Amino acid sequence: MNAGNTGCASCEAGEAGAGGTCAACEGETYTSGSGNTACSPCGDGSIVNTDKMTCTPCEAGKYEGVGAQASTCAACPADYSSGDGSTACAPCGDGF
């Protein structure tokens, strides 16, 4: 409900809720539009932007981190590579 109790207001992008109470999305979740009752995780190989409204795929040469690094795109180690939106790096073949 809005401040003047003159009507109901929907949760904004980056928030979710019900019953007139909205809260910012937490952790690695987001909402892209208004009126959401729950936040959603990004797809594999993508991370949540700081605005909690969009996800960004990891660029080539990086991958979606795991554990404590799940909110970042980590660089592939030497002699490994990845394409856009990767969850892992693959070793370079012979001759590379």
Side-chain angles (χ1 to χ4, degrees):
M1 180 109 24
N2 64 19
N5 293 330
T6 58
C8 297
S10 64
C11 296
E12 297 179 10
E15 305 179 322
T21 302
C22 298
C25 294
E26 295 182 0
E28 291 306 299
T29 62
Y30 77 104
T31 60
S32 59
S34 61
N36 292 288
T37 58
C39 298
S40 301
C42 291
D44 290 343
S46 296
I47 59 169
V48 175
N49 291 334
T50 56
D51 63 10
K52 300 291 187 176
M53 295 182 218
T54 56
C55 297
T56 301
C58 294
E59 60 189 52
K62 296 184 176 186
Y63 67 102
E64 179 186 7
V66 294
Q69 295 179 335
S71 62
T72 62
C73 291
C76 292
D79 299 325
Y80 281 73
S81 66
S82 69
D84 289 335
S86 293
T87 57
C89 299
C92 295
D94 292 340
F96 288 93

